[in-house]
Amino acid sequence: MTRPPAVLDVFSAIGHPRRRAIMNALAGEGRVVSELVDAVGVSQPTVSQHLAQLRSVGLVTCTKRGKKRLYRLDTAPLQDITEWIAALEVFWDGRFERLGRTLEAMDKEKDL
C-alpha cells in the first residue's frame, strides 16, 4: 500500500474528493470513525488517514468520548480560501463587465 502524499495546507487538503466527502459527512454534527466509514464507503484505515490529514491543517477536531473519538468539522481554516475566491470573483466580474461593453460596442459598429 502506498502512503498518500503529505497534506501541507488547506488547499491541498480539500483537493482530494474523499477528504471533501468526509468533510461533507461531518457538516452539521460530529461523528465517530465507523459512521464516517459508512457515510463515505471506504475502509476504516483510509478514513483514518484522511482524518489525520484534515486534522493536520485544522479542518477537523477530535474529542475523546469514553472509548470513542468524536470528529467535528472546523470551517475556520476555510476563511483563507473564501477570501481568495472573493478577490478572484471581483477580478473576473470586472473582466466580464469590460468584455460585455466591448461586445456591445462591436455590435453597434457592425450595425453602422
Side-chain angles (χ1 to χ4, degrees):
M1 177 189 325
T2 60
R3 185 177 200 137
V7 173
L8 303 175
D9 59 24
V10 174
F11 284 95
S12 57
I14 66 171
H16 194 285
R18 196 156 287 141
R19 285 192 287 272
R20 289 193 308 271
I22 290 170
M23 290 172 61
N24 288 338
L26 289 173
E29 64 180 307
R31 294 181 180 230
V32 296
V33 171
S34 60
E35 293 172 323
L36 292 171
V37 166
D38 292 340
V40 179
V42 294
S43 69
Q44 184 274 326
T46 300
V47 169
S48 293
Q49 283 179 345
H50 287 298
L51 282 171
Q53 292 175 334
L54 291 168
R55 287 180 66 195
S56 74
V57 296
L59 285 167
V60 169
T61 61
C62 178
T63 307
K64 205 167 188 183
R65 295 278 166 96
K67 292 182 179 183
K68 296 186 178 191
R69 294 174 192 259
L70 187 65
Y71 294 91
R72 294 183 188 277
L73 181 64
D74 182 355
T75 59
L78 295 173
Q79 186 60 37
D80 288 342
I81 294 173
T82 302
E83 291 169 3
W84 178 69
I85 290 171
L88 286 177
E89 188 174 25
V90 168
F91 168 77
W92 283 111
D93 284 348
R95 299 290 292 217
F96 288 131
E97 285 176 25
R98 280 191 281 160
L99 175 61
R101 288 192 302 266
T102 300
L103 292 173
E104 285 175 15
M106 290 172 68
D107 281 344
K108 287 179 183 176
E109 283 181 17
K110 185 176 80 174
D111 291 338
L112 293 179

